[in-house]
Amino acid sequence: MYLDQAFEFSILHEELPTMAKGEIRRSMLGWGLTNLLAAGLIFAGALGPATAEAQTSSKPLSANDVSILFPPPKAPADLVNLIAVSDLAGPFGDAHRLLSDDDFARFVANAENPEREGVPDSGARHIHLPDAVKKIDAWFVAGIRIDPGAPGLSPDVIAQFGRQPQIRLIIQPVTNGPDGFKVHDTAGHLIFSFNLDPDPPLEGCAPFPRFKPDDATFKAIIRDIAALRDQLAAGKFGNVKISTAGDMNVHPGLVGSSAKPFRDAVKAMLEKHLSPQRLNTMAVMGISPPEPWVFVSMLRVPQAGLIPVPGPTLDGLHAAQMFSIVGDTHVVPRPVTNNQNPVTCRHAALQNPPLPISNRKGVSTADFIDGNVPNSRVLEIVNIVADTKKSHFFNTDCVSCHTETAQPLKRKVQGFTVPGVNRAVLPKEDWNVRNFGWFPSFLHGGPAAATITRRAAAETADVVSFINSQLLNQ
């Protein structure tokens, strides 16, 4: 699972195995998403006059317009410039908070106990969340990803999976208690999707349909993103003109005098377009203090609600994957990836039978993290993992996608570069597993570091190209 670029999925109107009494069984999905037309009318003025102006031709978007990274807070006073998850309401108001108490409770429960009853122990430890982090008030939006097509935008990926537009909120807990002010080494994804009724799955790929994008609705989001960009450039937030062009970084509108008014406008944009009914997928990365790091993906299914999802590159049983500093084996379970075969919708998550291990061919960062290989081979591996045309959520493991930048940087691999990312936000230590968010180092201490990886930049480049050529001004 790729926590900070999230190729996670939601399934509509297709069969899906569900969980009951510890076993997965078949069930039909039959729910639809709430119509947001009325909400769009209610909130039409939320972003100010530039929203209407955005109906006219807009100039191309840049990376920072669609991948919005908040600055990591250093003191309680900084929280005013962040968006609290508990404060995010849908278009119908506070009674329909985007993340309900029930969904948050399942999020916490799945994080700490992801494996089904009766599944053999894989050796991966469990996430342990402090009591303060089990309260929704502790969670804040660290980043926002606007994506017109998960799990990928290459023609081969779309042919197999379809295209699912998403808004992904990267959320992280921040507490201020007896131990002082703390950004926790934990992150979640809240994934809101924009789909029409899907196409049937390809042969052997049920229960996963081919997503059909609701581009008409998603174009309204793109127009509002462009409007925010134009308002920043015109100095309408904090009376300072700000450009979002250039390499990926902490969003320039979220620092200085523009931070609070721009934050308010971004929050209004999210509440205008998102609803609880669109939230069908989540993910979490947490620790068993002080480490290891454990990754879990979740999916909403009928009757069972939010369930942990078996890893698509694991054995079809286990939902959690661990990355550890200590011991001789750092990646558990060891993945069997499929990113060197032609792209296919076959994998090991909820498919019966799963794609056999013998039919998979691929690489993972475990190949060099847990092995002795030359740096030239390290470069080959991470180049495949970072290639969005070859690697995606369903054929590449989560640890690989969260270590493909930090590990080669720390090893000083010759020829390894990270285009499109400001050096200030590159991971500075090999145990930084953040893709797009805040990393607090338990080894070195100090304030949490804003982090963006090569994989996040590659995905964002695809998003920018696709939006500018096929959605903006269309």
Side-chain angles (χ1 to χ4, degrees):
M1 179 252 337
Y2 307 155
L3 250 185
D4 297 326
Q5 39 82 20
F7 292 131
E8 295 83 4
F9 43 88
S10 59
I11 311 302
L12 295 177
H13 311 299
E14 286 295 325
E15 287 184 281
L16 183 74
T18 64
M19 184 179 300
K21 297 181 181 180
E23 297 296 327
I24 293 179
R25 58 188 176 86
R26 311 285 301 181
S27 178
M28 292 295 292
L29 291 176
W31 77 91
L33 299 175
T34 298
N35 191 322
L36 292 184
L37 176 60
L41 294 174
I42 294 171
F43 283 84
L47 298 181
T51 304
E53 296 168 5
Q55 301 294 332
T56 61
S57 181
S58 293
K59 65 180 183 180
L61 295 176
S62 300
N64 289 312
D65 299 320
V66 297
S67 292
I68 300 171
L69 182 61
F70 285 75
K74 298 178 181 179
D78 296 334
L79 298 181
V80 70
N81 293 331
L82 302 180
I83 299 173
V85 174
S86 59
D87 288 342
L88 274 172
F92 303 106
D94 291 341
H96 295 80
R97 196 175 64 199
L98 290 181
L99 182 60
S100 69
D101 288 336
D102 287 345
D103 283 348
F104 181 72
R106 291 300 296 270
F107 173 82
V108 170
N110 290 338
E112 295 197 313
N113 294 285
E115 304 296 0
R116 287 188 299 125
E117 183 180 350
V119 171
D121 183 10
S122 70
R125 291 167 62 184
H126 286 200
I127 295 171
H128 174 73
L129 298 176
D131 288 342
V133 170
K134 295 180 182 181
K135 300 176 181 177
I136 193 172
D137 292 345
W139 291 76
F140 294 82
V141 176
I144 302 167
R145 303 287 299 276
I146 310 296
D147 185 354
L153 288 166
S154 73
D156 288 343
V157 173
I158 292 174
Q160 292 290 315
F161 295 95
R163 179 167 63 84
Q164 183 182 74
Q166 298 177 344
I167 292 181
R168 299 191 292 270
L169 304 184
I170 298 93
I171 61 172
Q172 293 189 231
V174 183
T175 58
N176 188 30
D179 296 331
F181 185 78
K182 182 176 182 179
V183 176
H184 292 259
D185 193 1
T186 299
H189 257 192
L190 306 181
I191 302 163
F192 299 83
S193 57
F194 297 80
N195 289 74
L196 302 174
D197 290 343
D199 292 322
L202 297 179
E203 184 177 358
C205 298
F208 297 92
R210 285 175 291 166
F211 302 120
K212 186 178 293 184
D214 183 358
D215 281 340
T217 299
F218 206 69
K219 286 177 183 177
I221 298 170
I222 301 304
R223 288 193 294 270
D224 283 350
I225 292 293
L228 289 174
R229 184 268 319 272
D230 294 342
Q231 287 177 301
L232 273 172
K236 294 186 178 180
F237 300 112
N239 296 316
V240 56
K241 295 182 178 180
I242 294 173
S243 171
T244 58
D247 289 343
M248 294 179 70
N249 202 342
V250 169
H251 195 284
L254 291 169
V255 296
S257 61
S258 62
K260 182 59 166 63
F262 184 63
R263 170 264 185 210
D264 293 345
V266 170
K267 180 175 182 287
M269 182 274 294
L270 294 175
E271 293 179 328
K272 174 182 175 182
H273 294 289
L274 301 183
S275 71
Q277 291 77 16
R278 294 194 182 277
L279 178 60
N280 288 309
T281 318
M282 300 184 192
V284 64
M285 188 289 304
I287 60 174
S288 180
E291 65 94 44
W293 297 268
V294 181
F295 301 80
V296 179
S297 183
M298 310 171 200
L299 176 68
R300 191 189 305 278
V301 300
Q303 301 178 22
L306 282 165
I307 66 167
V309 177
T313 61
L314 302 180
D315 56 6
L317 297 175
H318 292 98
Q321 190 184 27
M322 177 182 82
F323 176 52
S324 177
I325 291 178
V326 301
D328 296 329
T329 302
H330 300 292
V331 182
V332 179
R334 180 70 176 262
V336 183
T337 58
N338 198 36
N339 47 29
Q340 289 185 295
N341 272 330
V343 174
T344 174
C345 55
R346 296 280 289 124
H347 50 81
L350 302 178
Q351 293 184 346
N352 188 21
L355 179 64
I357 288 176
S358 60
N359 289 1
R360 305 181 210 172
K361 179 183 178 181
V363 298
S364 69
T365 58
D367 296 342
F368 64 81
I369 293 173
D370 285 335
N372 185 16
V373 303
N375 278 352
S376 59
R377 179 58 176 160
V378 173
L379 186 60
E380 292 175 3
I381 292 169
V382 297
N383 282 346
I384 292 171
V385 173
D387 188 338
T388 58
K389 295 179 177 61
K390 296 178 180 179
S391 300
H392 54 78
F393 170 70
F394 293 103
N395 69 8
T396 305
D397 65 298
C398 47
V399 168
S400 288
C401 213
H402 283 259
T403 55
E404 59 79 30
T405 298
Q407 289 286 323
L409 282 178
K410 186 65 174 181
R411 294 165 184 255
K412 296 181 170 55
V413 173
Q414 186 175 4
F416 180 79
T417 60
V418 187
V421 179
N422 190 292
R423 291 178 61 86
V425 292
L426 290 176
K428 302 300 188 299
E429 67 177 79
D430 47 354
W431 308 114
N432 183 344
V433 297
R434 206 70 72 243
N435 262 355
F436 192 79
W438 310 326
F439 175 69
S441 173
F442 77 91
L443 289 176
H444 304 294
T451 301
I452 301 175
T453 63
R454 182 170 66 151
R455 176 76 204 196
E459 294 164 9
T460 299
D462 287 351
V463 165
V464 168
S465 176
F466 189 93
I467 287 176
N468 288 338
S469 63
Q470 301 196 40
L471 297 180
L472 189 66
N473 300 323
Q474 299 295 314

